[in-house]
Amino acid sequence: MNRDSNLETTKYRHTRYMPGLDGLRAIAVIAIIIYHLNKQWLTGGFLGVDTFFVISGYLITSLLLKEFEETGRIDLKQFWLRRLKRLVPAMLVLVGVVSMMTLILKPDQIVNIKHDAFAAIFYVSNWWYIITDVNYFEQFAFMPLKHLWSLAIEEQFYIVFPVILSILLFTVKKYRNVSLIFLVVSLISLLCMVLISQPHMEHSRVYFGTDTRLQTLLLGVLLAFIWPPFKLKVNPPKPLKHTIDCVGIVASLGIIALFIFVDDTSDWIYNGGFYLISVLTLFVILSVVHPTAYFAKMVGNPVLVFIGKRSYSLYLWHFPVISFIHSYYVAGQIPAFVYLIDIVITCIFAELSYRYIETPFRKYSFKAFSLNRFKKVSFVRTVALFVILIPTIFIFAGAFDQLGKNTNQHKQTSFTSHKANDKTQDSNKNNHKQQKKDSETKNTNKIDKSIKPLMIGDSVMVDIGEQFTKKIPNAEIDGKVGRNLYEAVPLIEQKYEKFNKPGNKVVLELGTNGDFSKAQLDELINHFNKAEVYLVNTRVPRGYEKHVNNLISEASKKHKNVNVVDWYKRSKGHTEYFAPDGIHLQPSGVNALTDEIIKQITK
């Protein structure tokens, strides 16, 4: 690699401002905010985080290389101090405000939020969520600090990478060899993601992991070696300028298309997809950092630059605001005005953070605070800090732990009832006689408690398990949080093939956690082709809801032994049935779904 090819070099180069990068940050943070407001509006908006990763890797490496070339060394102390002043104050204020508001508005969540806050302060949120088995893509729990996982990865990168870069620059020396080392490490990171991820499984381990996400940051690093922004020619040949513009436009359209069409359940993005998406981002950066490219000027327009400069503040505050406000509504049934409130409050907090926390601290450090009441802004800032700091210290010290409960440790993840299982094989002959006798003596106005349905489902089945067994004591129930339809087939082959007999009733509730294909549904139904099958359709605020329900409806028309339990219709307009996630059930919802299933299987 020729370090000076198509580049201008001087001993000391001006660190010019690149508005195009701020414009790109604006696009990324807007995508992320839309995704968190409502996934169905922009299913791939979460990829905006990867855009931030690539920008961070590129910009940090460019600045470090510039410093090394001009001074012959990298001042690690000053680098870390600049990062601390830029990132930490606003994050600490956010953590304090979230902790305090949780104590006021949701005291029962104070223990869980305290744990998340500790992880955030030490920038280990991503590994904390891996250890506690948190799924980033599901918003079932109240976790207003969950978005800080990405900042944890960036901060870990900022601590380690400059040291490694400095060592390599002094030992390996040649840029080409140094960049090859980073390329190899990025490919190792990619390989780790491919090996650890499993098809059709929950991907939070590889999504949160520093080891698996390093690939994206390092691609930004590689671009800094190839296309250092402070060496680019101001007046390149027109054909080259036009080529740079075209590359930027095409790559940007590609990224926007990915924001629209990629889904967080797509397996391909964990098998090289993130790498390819990040490579596409490199071409956008290549164009927006050029000093004279038209596309750079377009992306660096005043509106996007204004948003981009506040992108860190917007990212910090949008998720807690959405988490608090949406916790009082049922997901998927949120009024339009609520989203407007989300945006307005987010912008207010972000602007306050940018103007009165980030910018002053970055410029003046601790001099931005003062107890001199004649320095009004500094005095108010200091008083506000104490108002936030004092209760936060008490929260961290555990003074309010008695108000909370650790839902991560006590949440029910499965429900299994085997009352009929142990005697099923021994009592097959007696069952028919008993059922005949019961059918002759039962009161038709009451529930037939003699039936012994097999019920396989996900977290919604877990919700109704206890109530259902009270009404149908002999029900065989197997519910598990997070279960997808494709996971039911091996379970049936292992434990429940014996239920495939005439007269048996099988209830399958498996549409909550993800989409499936017609072939997968047919395979499941064929395992019970002799039994009477009841498919429970779904009400879930996700993009796959309609497709899942259409497949279930079509299956009932295709297979004579298949019936539909129309939970979608039964629950329409009943927000009181649901928890804030719009999926899991409140007691009234438990009763309603239990009643609907019993009504169908006892017809």
Side-chain angles (χ1 to χ4, degrees):
M1 182 187 303
N2 186 349
R3 287 168 52 185
D4 299 321
S5 178
N6 292 322
L7 305 172
E8 291 180 347
T9 59
T10 58
K11 185 176 181 181
Y12 295 101
R13 294 180 304 277
H14 176 59
T15 307
R16 65 182 179 86
Y17 171 59
M18 293 172 283
L21 279 185
D22 272 330
L24 185 56
R25 286 191 184 99
I27 295 171
V29 78
I30 290 170
I32 294 167
I33 291 173
I34 294 173
Y35 174 79
H36 285 146
L37 284 170
N38 190 323
K39 284 186 180 183
Q40 297 184 50
W41 294 349
L42 199 67
T43 57
F46 66 96
L47 296 173
V49 172
D50 294 87
T51 302
F52 277 120
F53 282 167
V54 178
I55 292 173
S56 294
Y58 177 74
L59 191 56
I60 291 303
T61 307
S62 299
L63 292 170
L64 292 175
L65 289 178
K66 178 178 180 295
E67 180 183 356
F68 180 77
E69 291 170 2
E70 293 178 353
T71 67
R73 61 188 289 268
I74 294 175
D75 191 332
L76 296 175
K77 180 181 176 181
Q78 285 301 314
F79 171 81
W80 288 326
L81 185 61
R82 288 193 299 270
R83 292 296 91 199
L84 184 148
K85 291 166 65 176
R86 173 70 180 88
L87 300 175
V88 175
M91 182 275 294
L92 291 178
V93 171
L94 172 81
V95 169
V97 171
V98 168
S99 301
M100 190 170 63
M101 295 308 296
T102 301
L103 179 63
I104 296 170
L105 300 175
K106 295 183 176 294
D108 61 318
Q109 297 289 333
I110 197 64
V111 173
N112 293 322
I113 299 307
K114 183 182 75 171
H115 293 163
D116 290 356
F118 272 124
I121 289 173
F122 293 103
Y123 284 101
V124 292
S125 294
N126 60 322
W127 291 106
W128 166 245
Y129 293 136
I130 289 172
I131 293 170
T132 53
D133 196 27
V134 168
N135 183 351
Y136 171 74
F137 299 108
E138 294 297 348
Q139 313 301 332
F140 292 164
F142 176 74
M143 301 182 69
L145 297 175
K146 184 163 64 172
H147 66 310
L148 298 184
W149 72 272
S150 64
L151 300 184
I153 289 179
E154 289 202 22
E155 195 66 22
Q156 293 160 25
F157 175 77
Y158 294 150
I159 292 172
V160 177
F161 172 73
V163 178
I164 294 174
L165 177 64
S166 184
I167 293 172
L168 290 176
L169 291 175
F170 278 111
T171 56
V172 179
K173 296 183 179 181
K174 288 186 177 181
Y175 278 15
R176 177 182 297 174
N177 294 338
V178 174
S179 59
L180 283 175
I181 291 172
F182 286 128
L183 174 62
V184 171
V185 176
S186 74
L187 292 174
I188 292 173
S189 175
L190 167 63
L191 183 62
C192 286
M193 176 174 277
V194 173
L195 293 177
I196 296 174
S197 65
Q198 299 179 28
H200 309 301
M201 298 300 287
E202 197 271 301
H203 295 295
S204 288
R205 164 60 185 90
V206 292
Y207 192 80
F208 284 135
T210 309
D211 51 347
T212 50
R213 301 312 299 273
L214 191 59
Q215 54 178 303
T216 306
L217 286 155
L218 289 180
L219 283 175
V221 171
L222 290 170
L223 183 63
F225 281 93
I226 300 169
W227 196 257
F230 310 120
K231 293 181 178 181
L232 298 175
K233 285 186 176 182
V234 176
N235 295 306
K238 283 189 176 181
L240 178 59
K241 183 190 292 187
H242 294 325
T243 300
I244 292 170
D245 286 329
C246 289
V247 166
I249 292 170
V250 172
S252 296
L253 292 174
I255 288 175
I256 292 172
L258 290 169
F259 286 165
I260 296 171
F261 296 111
V262 169
D263 190 272
D264 55 38
T265 60
S266 304
D267 289 324
W268 71 270
I269 60 176
Y270 302 95
N271 290 278
F274 279 119
Y275 207 85
L276 294 175
I277 293 166
S278 299
V279 168
L280 197 60
T281 306
L282 295 182
F283 289 109
V284 181
I285 294 175
L286 179 150
S287 181
V288 300
V289 300
H290 199 278
T292 57
Y294 293 117
F295 180 69
K297 295 176 182 178
M298 183 172 67
V299 177
N301 69 78
V303 175
L304 287 182
V305 167
F306 181 86
I307 297 171
K309 285 183 175 181
R310 291 154 176 80
S311 59
Y312 179 59
S313 302
L314 288 166
Y315 184 81
L316 280 179
W317 288 98
H318 84 280
F319 196 74
V321 168
I322 293 171
S323 297
F324 274 100
I325 294 176
H326 287 201
S327 68
Y328 295 99
Y329 295 89
V330 172
Q333 303 181 51
I334 299 175
F337 74 87
V338 173
Y339 294 112
L340 181 61
I341 293 173
D342 292 333
I343 295 170
V344 170
I345 295 178
T346 295
C347 290
I348 291 172
F349 276 100
E351 187 64 22
L352 290 173
S353 176
Y354 177 76
R355 283 178 179 268
Y356 299 111
I357 300 171
E358 294 172 49
T359 303
F361 202 89
R362 186 169 67 248
K363 288 183 176 180
Y364 309 114
S365 190
F366 288 103
K367 293 180 181 179
F369 299 93
S370 175
L371 290 174
N372 186 344
R373 59 185 178 180
F374 295 106
K375 297 180 179 180
K376 292 184 179 180
V377 176
S378 299
F379 179 74
V380 171
R381 184 185 297 116
T382 305
V383 171
L385 180 64
F386 278 109
V387 169
I388 297 170
L389 184 62
I390 293 173
T392 303
I393 291 173
F394 280 102
I395 291 170
F396 286 176
F400 304 102
D401 283 3
Q402 70 276 9
L403 300 176
K405 55 183 180 181
N406 193 329
T407 54
N408 285 333
Q409 293 182 1
H410 296 98
K411 63 183 179 181
Q412 187 176 6
T413 59
S414 64
F415 183 94
T416 308
S417 170
H418 292 293
K419 292 183 178 180
N421 188 42
D422 296 336
K423 299 180 180 179
T424 299
Q425 293 180 339
D426 298 332
S427 61
N428 281 335
K429 294 181 180 180
N430 294 330
N431 281 347
H432 294 290
K433 294 180 180 179
Q434 183 63 39
Q435 288 176 3
K436 182 177 180 181
K437 180 179 178 181
D438 290 340
S439 65
E440 292 172 352
T441 59
K442 71 177 182 179
N443 184 335
T444 57
N445 292 323
K446 296 181 179 180
I447 296 173
D448 181 3
K449 294 189 176 184
S450 66
I451 60 175
K452 299 179 180 180
L454 168 66
M455 303 177 66
I456 299 174
D458 46 44
S459 54
V460 174
M461 187 67 74
V462 174
D463 288 344
I464 70 170
E466 184 176 349
Q467 176 69 7
F468 198 93
T469 52
K470 288 179 181 178
K471 294 191 174 183
I472 307 293
N474 293 319
E476 178 88 2
I477 300 177
D478 192 325
K480 183 181 178 182
V481 171
R483 179 177 284 159
N484 280 278
L485 181 136
Y486 57 81
E487 296 176 272
V489 171
L491 176 70
I492 291 165
E493 292 172 346
Q494 181 183 2
K495 297 175 66 176
Y496 298 118
E497 290 279 15
K498 57 182 176 288
F499 282 89
N500 188 24
K501 295 177 182 178
N504 282 352
K505 297 176 184 292
V506 178
V507 179
L508 301 172
E509 181 276 313
L510 293 161
T512 300
N513 295 300
D515 205 352
F516 46 79
S517 66
K518 181 177 179 294
Q520 288 173 319
L521 181 58
D522 285 340
E523 181 186 9
L524 179 64
I525 292 170
N526 288 336
H527 277 78
F528 296 113
N529 56 356
K530 297 177 182 178
E532 200 68 20
V533 176
Y534 297 84
L535 299 177
V536 183
N537 65 15
T538 189
R539 179 170 290 280
V540 53
R542 300 291 184 269
Y544 51 79
E545 177 192 70
K546 184 177 181 180
H547 184 244
V548 164
N549 289 344
N550 285 342
L551 288 180
I552 289 174
S553 178
E554 291 169 6
S556 69
K557 297 173 183 177
K558 176 182 177 182
H559 302 274
K560 293 182 179 180
N561 67 318
V562 173
N563 309 276
V564 177
V565 178
D566 200 346
W567 175 235
Y568 180 82
K569 181 179 179 180
R570 174 68 182 265
S571 61
K572 184 178 181 180
H574 290 280
T575 57
E576 74 277 8
Y577 285 176
F578 298 96
D581 57 46
I583 301 172
H584 294 101
L585 304 180
Q586 300 284 25
S588 59
V590 169
N591 289 331
L593 180 54
T594 299
D595 175 71
E596 190 65 25
I597 293 174
I598 292 175
K599 183 172 71 175
Q600 294 299 321
I601 67 177
T602 57
K603 274 186 177 180

